[in-house]
Amino acid sequence: MGSEEKTKEQLTEELAELRQRVMALEAAEIQRRQTEKALKKLLEKIERAKQEWESTADSLSELVCLVDQHGRIIRANRTVEAWNLGSVKQVKGREFHKLLHPDCPDSSCPLDSFWRQAWSQVKQGQSMQGEIYDGVLKRYIQVRIRPWKGWGKGQTNGSTVVVVEDITERKRAEEALKEYSERLEEMVEERTRQLQEAQERLLRAERLATIGQLGASVSHELRNPLGVIKNSVYYLKMKLGNADSKVKKHLNIIDNEIARADKIISDLLSFARDTKLALEKVHINTLVKNVLSRTPVPDTVSVITRLGEDLPPLMADPGQIEQVFINMITNAVQAMTSSHSADARDKGILEISTRAEDGFIITEFKDNGCGIPKENLGKLFEPLFTTKSKGIGLGLAVSKRIIEAHGGSIEVESEVGKGTTFTIKLPVYVDRTVLGGA
Ligand SMILES: Nc1ncnc2c1ncn2[C@@H]1O[C@H](COP(=O)(O)OP(=O)(O)O)[C@@H](O)[C@H]1O
Ligand SMILES: [Mg+2]
């Protein structure tokens, strides 16, 4: 046995040492496994937390981006995919403005200028938000930009959080509401006016029906006593030729009032009965002259006639056309005496003219009376429309009916303070036998 041979004790010692090392290794291995397990658990936890937070951001309908200090997207939520702007991976690193407008055609793009302004503000730690109509997306968007809080207090790195919301539906609803509320007022006004008009029409229709029923019979009944009074006044005037002026004056008043009552009765009668025409061949100028000879005109009014020569004849009911002319003259005189005095400076002038034009005979009554306000022009020919305290408003309604029954028309032009012109058109008489024989 030499020195190379280990003693038994030495071997035992080495073995014990080896055993100890093996045990230490085993313990280290257990420790490593435990640490690995704990680490795995921790990683799983972190992954879950990350996913939780990501899907929270992805669940938003808004587009949420984290943008770096150079304006490039670090991260976007899945709304980019819902808005067809690319996948979450693809948009990484893209400039924010280019994300929404890949090739922006607008050099003064409102989104771009908003972004620039917001950018400088955010750099100073301020937030900015605004509503923009995006001409490229054709949508209204609300953009909110705020500094990213970073990794902790005071550790910002110039990144920003951008939230974009599509507010098109809300904006459209707001606009519709605004437009509607603006129109509502108009609609209410319009409706009120319509209702007022309808009410007026109804009232007039009621009164007209009453006039129709009562007018004819009452008028007949009144005509007789009026006739008797008229005869009596005539008799008194003859008998009291030398009576004092006061008596004469009152007799004249009675006479004038009888004439007025008579006029109302004939208006009522013509209104109540159907317009039956007794047609005959007549000349317009004859009718005008007849009426003028029978209708007294006060001194404050001068009548000028311009009657066309060699006018073709009409087929008309002379009595009824004359009644229309009397109405025209009476109205004109009343319009002029209310605004004119006997003073020659502003004397009332009534011009009556006749002429032939395109198969019609035109008769014009032009006065320089008070004129008619625009708002009344449309109502003149309606029965019972009057502006006079003693008027009954049937003259023009009856006149229109008579003229239209003749196949003609009646129109009015007027200016307040200047005067009024009524234009009556009646068809020229056409000899059918001549036409048929030709
Ligand atoms: N020549 C006129 N100038 C001004 N106003 C007129 C004239 N003719 C008619 N009018 C207006 O038309 C209204 C209706 O006329 P009319 O039917 O003859 O009824 P009345 O004479 O009883 O009032 C008058 O009250 C008046 O306001
Ligand atoms: Mg009248």
Side-chain angles (χ1 to χ4, degrees):
M1 305 249 326
S3 59
E4 295 119 43
E5 282 184 24
K6 292 182 178 163
T7 64
K8 203 177 164 194
E9 281 113 62
Q10 267 179 323
L11 280 170
T12 317
E13 221 173 89
E14 272 180 22
L15 199 64
E17 206 176 295
L18 271 172
R19 271 206 190 110
Q20 255 177 1
R21 276 165 72 181
V22 166
M23 268 163 63
L25 274 173
E26 271 174 3
E29 175 62 14
I30 289 169
Q31 176 102 47
R32 192 189 62 79
R33 280 209 202 119
Q34 274 174 350
T35 314
E36 203 173 64
K37 223 167 146 185
L39 202 66
K40 209 172 147 201
K41 258 193 185 160
L42 193 67
L43 278 175
E44 271 171 16
K45 233 174 155 175
I46 292 172
E47 181 61 24
R48 232 193 351 266
K50 176 178 166 263
Q51 271 175 14
E52 220 172 65
W53 196 236
E54 266 177 13
S55 55
T56 304
D58 289 341
S59 304
L60 296 172
S61 60
E62 290 94 339
L63 169 66
V64 184
C65 298
L66 178 61
V67 177
D68 72 13
Q69 71 266 47
H70 306 295
R72 292 182 188 281
I73 294 168
I74 299 171
R75 224 184 151 128
N77 69 346
R78 273 193 201 285
T79 307
V80 280
E81 288 164 17
W83 288 12
N84 294 322
L85 302 171
S87 72
V88 170
K89 267 195 186 146
Q90 281 167 346
V91 304
K92 217 174 193 176
R94 213 179 278 175
E95 270 174 43
F96 175 74
H97 180 232
K98 290 232 169 84
L99 170 68
L100 291 176
H101 299 173
D103 357 70
C104 189
D106 186 356
S107 57
S108 59
C109 171
L111 179 62
D112 191 36
S113 58
F114 175 79
W115 174 249
R116 280 172 207 287
Q117 202 188 335
W119 192 243
S120 61
Q121 211 158 304
V122 168
K123 275 185 182 157
Q124 296 161 21
Q126 288 166 348
S127 303
M128 178 147 163
Q129 79 169 45
E131 291 179 357
I132 300 164
Y133 177 73
D134 193 309
V136 179
L137 304 175
K138 307 226 176 323
R139 319 280 301 166
Y140 283 100
I141 52 174
Q142 185 194 54
V143 188
R144 277 172 283 165
I145 301 175
R146 43 192 75 219
W148 187 57
K149 285 265 167 39
W151 306 109
K153 268 193 186 163
Q155 287 192 31
T156 50
N157 61 356
S159 299
T160 51
V161 181
V162 184
V163 180
V164 185
E165 191 181 350
D166 184 341
I167 53 165
T168 310
E169 299 309 318
R170 194 193 84 203
K171 272 289 191 203
R172 299 250 153 95
E174 274 173 13
E175 274 169 14
L177 197 70
K178 194 169 154 229
E179 196 181 316
Y180 185 74
S181 64
E182 272 167 13
R183 279 202 50 227
L184 198 66
E185 217 168 289
E186 256 172 56
M187 275 156 60
V188 169
E189 257 172 41
E190 167 77 13
R191 197 83 194 100
T192 314
R193 206 176 46 74
Q194 282 174 355
L195 280 172
Q196 271 169 354
E197 272 175 20
Q199 200 185 3
E200 273 172 30
R201 266 202 305 276
L202 205 70
L203 222 80
R204 228 172 9 243
E206 236 170 73
R207 286 163 68 195
L208 281 177
T210 318
I211 290 174
Q213 286 158 6
L214 284 175
S217 54
V218 173
S219 303
H220 274 300
E221 295 301 323
L222 281 175
R223 229 177 206 166
N224 294 337
L226 266 182
V228 176
I229 299 172
K230 198 172 173 168
N231 285 341
S232 302
V233 173
Y234 181 73
Y235 175 79
L236 285 176
K237 270 185 169 174
M238 282 216 316
K239 275 280 164 198
L240 303 171
N242 303 324
D244 68 276
S245 59
K246 226 173 188 174
V247 172
K248 274 186 178 167
K249 185 183 146 200
H250 282 279
L251 284 175
N252 278 334
I253 289 175
I254 297 174
D255 231 8
N256 287 338
E257 293 301 301
I258 290 171
R260 209 162 72 79
D262 202 55
K263 172 80 179 67
I264 292 174
I265 287 171
S266 24
D267 277 352
L268 273 173
L269 276 175
S270 10
F271 189 75
R273 71 170 170 242
D274 287 335
T275 318
K276 281 208 192 83
L277 303 178
L279 294 175
E280 52 183 270
K281 206 165 139 188
V282 290
H283 284 90
I284 196 82
N285 292 349
T286 318
L287 301 183
V288 173
K289 284 176 198 158
N290 281 351
V291 168
L292 281 176
S293 69
R294 281 194 282 118
T295 316
V297 168
D299 296 341
T300 52
V301 171
S302 31
V303 180
I304 301 171
T305 50
R306 299 183 205 284
L307 305 180
E309 281 173 26
D310 302 326
L311 296 179
L314 300 169
M315 211 39 181
D317 182 327
Q320 301 217 29
I321 297 293
E322 281 175 17
Q323 197 197 331
V324 173
F325 289 178
I326 292 170
N327 286 340
M328 295 297 125
I329 295 169
T330 316
N331 280 343
V333 166
Q334 285 168 348
M336 292 187 289
T337 42
S338 64
S339 60
H340 292 270
S341 64
D343 187 343
R345 239 180 331 122
D346 54 355
K347 200 169 166 93
I349 296 171
L350 170 61
E351 258 181 67
I352 305 175
S353 61
T354 56
R355 63 178 194 275
E357 204 177 280
D358 303 331
F360 286 91
I361 299 287
I362 294 171
T363 313
E364 255 177 25
F365 294 84
K366 182 172 190 248
D367 67 56
N368 63 347
C370 56
I372 301 164
K374 269 203 173 61
E375 65 268 23
N376 285 349
L377 282 176
K379 304 185 218 162
L380 288 191
F381 297 100
E382 283 178 20
L384 302 181
F385 175 79
T386 181
T387 56
K388 299 165 193 167
S389 54
K390 287 181 178 174
I392 73 165
L394 285 177
L396 288 179
V398 168
S399 301
K400 186 174 157 83
R401 216 160 69 176
I402 292 173
I403 297 299
E404 286 178 353
H406 281 84
S409 67
I410 175 165
E411 277 168 21
V412 61
E413 265 178 63
S414 186
E415 202 177 325
V416 173
K418 289 226 165 128
T420 306
T421 305
F422 279 93
T423 307
I424 293 170
K425 259 173 129 177
L426 287 165
V428 161
Y429 167 68
V430 180
D431 192 342
R432 306 257 165 218
T433 55
V434 173
L435 271 185

